[in-house]
Amino acid sequence: MQYDVTLFLEYLYPQAVVDARHRLCATPRRDDGQRVLSAELAIRPEPDELVAEADFFGNATHSLLQHRPHERFAITMTARVAVARQMPVLGATPPAVDVARQALDARDLGPASPLHFVSASRAVRLTPPLAAYARETLAGYSCLGDGVLALARRIRDEFAYRPGVTDVTTEVAAAFERREGVCQDFAQVMIAALRGAGIPAAYVGGFLRTDPPPGQMRILGIDQMHAWVKVWLGETAGWAGFDPTNGILALDDHIELSIGRDYADAPPVSGVLTTSGQHFARHYVDVIPWDEPAGAGP
């Protein structure tokens, strides 16, 4: 499947920013099952310095420096992406206890090594209740893949999607206790639970294709950024994506932007700046199948 993707991010400041350093992770990944056919990044105001490189996990990043005073900072990313992922054979994966042992026996320290994703990280703390939540679910399945999908569906069924009750600083344990939040919370709850059970799990930020109601035109600008989980299912099966917000596998409708141990590893925008007052931020996303006609504006 091919998609035309647009991401727009805008920040407005009540007082002019006199110095800013940003790290952007706003361009889709080139990865197994995903090809970036074209990608452009427009930054306003234009940065005084701009360095493009891949980080340790293979995410496309841009580091920029802005010295000129500005009251508005905007990023527009447009890309054409081809996605063709293989359906994982969940029923052919080893039991959870075997995968946990394989992960600890791994000797590869490359970006895809399970060793990077089996312990606590900056935004994912491991707690006994979270570990028990995963173990309780996985215990009913002889194959880890089936158990992980069941865990994703359990989170979908038991957690309420409520924007505004959490933010990027919300602790995983708090989101777990409240049983509510957004996709970022659900992904990090699933990650913490699996790691607590010894199963390597990575955070994925990106985009999800959404379809308009039957017979209606797609409305531009109403899609959202999304988050899900990649889980290491053993030496043979490797990594597979799971979406706990929707209780499904992450396949051709999911477009990867970044991968890390948690959200803190690769947010779309991070950095430091000098200003005062509360800033205002907004964003919109369009994910349009390549052969679908453009929709109407919001």
Side-chain angles (χ1 to χ4, degrees), residues 43-279:
I43 303 170
R44 297 292 182 270
E46 291 188 6
D48 297 290
E49 296 180 15
L50 182 64
V51 177
E53 59 186 353
D55 69 8
F56 176 75
F57 295 115
N59 302 313
T61 69
H62 293 79
S63 299
L64 62 94
L65 176 63
Q66 292 171 317
H67 289 309
R68 288 169 287 180
H70 56 279
E71 297 178 351
R72 176 180 180 267
F73 175 54
I75 304 155
T76 303
M77 185 281 298
T78 56
R80 177 164 292 179
V81 183
V83 184
R85 296 194 176 93
Q86 292 186 346
M87 174 74 72
V89 184
L90 303 182
T93 54
V97 62
D98 291 349
V99 173
R101 184 179 62 253
Q102 289 177 17
L104 294 179
D105 288 342
R107 292 296 178 264
D108 176 23
L109 295 179
S113 171
L115 291 174
H116 300 304
F117 304 96
V118 76
S119 302
S121 52
R122 282 183 292 174
V124 172
R125 296 184 181 181
L126 310 187
T127 66
L130 279 158
Y133 188 74
R135 289 194 177 102
E136 180 182 61
T137 305
L138 299 179
Y141 296 87
S142 59
C143 298
L144 175 61
D146 291 331
V148 173
L149 183 58
L151 178 62
R153 290 172 174 168
R154 183 180 181 186
I155 293 172
R156 175 201 60 191
D157 294 342
E158 296 182 359
F159 286 64
Y161 186 89
R162 291 202 176 96
V165 301
T166 60
D167 58 33
V168 296
T169 66
T170 300
E171 294 280 347
V172 174
F176 178 68
E177 183 176 353
R178 296 176 62 134
R179 296 294 201 276
E180 60 182 359
V182 293
C183 56
Q184 174 186 305
D185 302 298
F186 303 159
Q188 294 192 145
V189 163
M190 185 172 176
I191 289 168
L194 287 168
R195 290 182 190 171
I199 305 302
Y203 181 95
V204 186
F207 312 106
L208 176 64
R209 170 189 178 179
T210 57
D211 294 318
Q216 295 188 23
M217 182 177 290
R218 181 183 301 277
I219 298 176
L220 299 180
I222 65 169
D223 293 329
Q224 296 289 323
M225 300 193 73
H226 195 49
W228 60 97
V229 182
K230 269 193 168 181
V231 182
W232 194 71
L233 300 177
E235 295 173 342
T236 301
W239 293 92
F242 297 83
D243 182 345
T245 302
N246 296 292
I248 58 176
L249 289 165
L251 296 171
D252 292 357
D253 287 343
H254 292 70
I255 302 167
E256 294 180 0
L257 187 68
S258 62
I259 290 177
R261 294 163 297 180
D262 52 47
Y263 173 82
D265 270 348
V269 183
S270 59
V272 294
L273 52 86
T274 303
T275 187
S276 62
Q278 182 68 38
H279 74 269

